[in-house]
Amino acid sequence: MKAFKNLVCSILLAVSLPAFADAKWDMPTGYPISNFHTENIQRFIAEADKAAGRKLKITIHPAGSLFKANEIKRAVQGGQAQIGEIIISGFSNEDPLYGVDSIPFLATSYQDAAKLWKASKEAIDQRFARQGMKLLYTVPWPPQGIFSTKPISSVDNIKGKKWRAYNPQTSRIAELVGAQPVTIPAAELAQALATGAVEVFMTSAATGYDSKVWEQVKYYYDVRAWLPKNAVIVNQQAFDALSKTEQEAILKAAAAAEQRGWKLSEEKNTWYLDQLTKNGMKVEMPSPQLTAEFRKVGDIMIAEWSKQSGADGQQVLSTYRK
Ligand code: PCA
């Protein structure tokens, strides 16, 4: 009897859902469905919908399937997608403030990344607001290291190599170390490796795992140079069109997703690193020389950023360093 009742309930629910769902949103993301960011988003969606009384139907479109990663911000701004996930630093050509979390060796631990986010949140919120969007929450990627098909003990080993970049900072690093940068979204990394278009790149163990890079790439240097953040952003008009209950449901689910996501990123990083080893990769600390050379790159980039980012940037740096 209970099973029958449940069945009737779910049929009724299934039939009645579309009629009650007063917001149907599309949510493009750039990363695969099993990535920890995407899993976190799926929980965010489920919680927001539940708290809104099943009135928010948000459909996730992962791995650049609806919009490519670099198109998502504009799609949300223009309302082609109501909500989406982006990597903030991917847009630092628009405004240097978007790139603060991707300056090498400015913030290299979860604790410092959180401190930097606290120091930069207001300025970054303002920038999205000026563009007609609202930032709902951020979650960092695990610390960024160097993946390479060949062993690397100094910057000399990287010179002239095909270097995959995912934001302006990773392109700039390539220039500074004399590699050849080519921008490739995460969703296309495995393919680029398979065709030999990429020999070396910086990213997290998470993306290394997602892209099964061990098929071509044998070395990972755990440099921990920065923790770039993804942000979930919403079109402000779409948000304003919701009822108060729905808005509150989204904000509450977003706050929970931010907390959960930061923890998940840190906890899963160890697991991701283990998977690299298990799949035959050498996971090592960088040599002292490589570390020193990359630190120099970081110093140059901090100086460049300080200049480009003006008074707001100075403010962020001084608050962060306090
Ligand atoms: N993965 C994403 C961004 C940073 C990361 O760890 C990528 O490689 O595109």
Side-chain angles (χ1 to χ4, degrees):
M1 188 61 195
K2 191 155 178 261
F4 178 70
K5 256 194 194 157
N6 280 345
L7 183 68
V8 171
C9 274
S10 26
I11 291 171
L12 281 179
L13 205 66
V15 172
S16 59
L17 244 187
F20 286 113
D22 54 1
K24 282 191 187 170
W25 283 5
D26 283 311
M27 179 164 192
T29 83
Y31 307 100
I33 192 76
S34 60
N35 176 271
F36 76 94
H37 285 290
T38 324
E39 283 176 359
N40 194 36
I41 287 172
Q42 288 167 275
R43 268 187 74 179
F44 157 73
I45 289 176
E47 285 182 15
D49 186 25
K50 189 166 174 219
R54 306 276 173 223
K55 288 186 168 212
L56 282 169
K57 180 97 193 81
I58 302 178
T59 307
I60 189 164
H61 303 273
S65 55
L66 186 63
F67 292 99
K68 286 193 168 200
N70 66 349
E71 296 168 344
I72 293 174
K73 179 164 171 283
R74 191 173 305 164
V76 174
Q77 187 174 3
Q80 289 92 348
Q82 294 78 11
I83 186 168
E85 182 203 32
I86 59 165
I87 180 160
I88 307 175
S89 57
F91 302 89
S92 56
N93 279 344
E94 284 178 22
D95 193 307
L97 257 295
Y98 287 140
V100 69
D101 64 14
S102 295
I103 305 169
F105 303 108
L106 181 61
T108 61
S109 64
Y110 280 90
Q111 212 183 353
D112 282 351
K115 205 173 157 203
L116 183 60
W117 173 224
K118 225 176 146 194
S120 57
K121 184 179 185 315
E122 200 184 320
I124 291 174
D125 278 348
Q126 271 176 10
R127 278 159 177 79
F128 281 105
R130 274 189 225 142
Q131 297 185 314
M133 289 172 279
K134 181 177 181 64
L135 191 158
L136 290 178
Y137 71 86
T138 65
V139 172
W141 286 93
Q144 307 285 294
I146 306 173
F147 285 87
S148 174
T149 54
K150 300 266 163 62
I152 295 173
S153 57
S154 75
V155 154
D156 249 2
N157 303 138
I158 306 176
K159 288 208 179 353
K161 290 268 159 71
K162 289 177 241 170
W163 170 289
R164 176 259 173 172
Y166 65 79
N167 64 9
Q169 289 72 29
T170 44
S171 299
R172 182 68 184 132
I173 296 172
E175 283 172 15
L176 290 169
V177 300
Q180 301 175 42
V182 42
T183 299
I184 297 170
E188 289 162 30
L189 176 58
Q191 165 90 10
L193 283 167
T195 60
V198 171
E199 302 167 280
V200 54
F201 53 98
M202 292 187 78
T203 186
S204 58
T207 289
Y209 173 80
D210 287 346
S211 308
K212 297 192 172 40
V213 300
W214 47 79
E215 286 172 15
Q216 290 83 19
V217 177
K218 300 295 172 206
Y219 301 90
Y220 181 69
Y221 300 96
D222 197 5
V223 183
R224 301 178 203 170
W226 70 93
L227 291 82
K229 291 186 300 297
N230 280 3
V232 169
I233 51 175
V234 62
N235 177 287
Q236 186 69 53
Q237 279 184 352
F239 186 79
D240 292 343
L242 299 177
S243 70
K244 261 261 140 342
T245 315
E246 291 163 339
Q247 290 180 356
E248 275 162 18
I250 286 191
L251 294 179
K252 197 169 155 230
E258 177 153 299
Q259 279 227 337
R260 186 173 61 231
W262 280 73
K263 272 203 205 115
L264 202 61
S265 176
E266 186 165 9
E267 285 164 9
K268 264 199 107 171
N269 188 35
T270 318
W271 183 86
Y272 281 127
L273 285 165
D274 281 350
Q275 300 311 304
L276 301 185
T277 313
K278 282 199 176 128
N279 284 285
M281 289 185 62
K282 277 208 157 143
V283 173
E284 292 172 358
M285 290 311 284
S287 72
Q289 185 177 346
L290 190 64
T291 304
E293 288 169 332
F294 265 81
R295 286 207 167 257
K296 266 194 203 141
V297 167
D299 290 344
I300 295 173
M301 289 179 64
I302 292 179
E304 288 176 348
W305 190 85
S306 302
K307 254 202 211 147
Q308 292 159 359
S309 61
D312 281 7
Q314 294 313 310
Q315 176 71 44
V316 169
L317 285 181
S318 75
T319 310
Y320 170 65
R321 284 172 169 153
K322 240 182 239 159

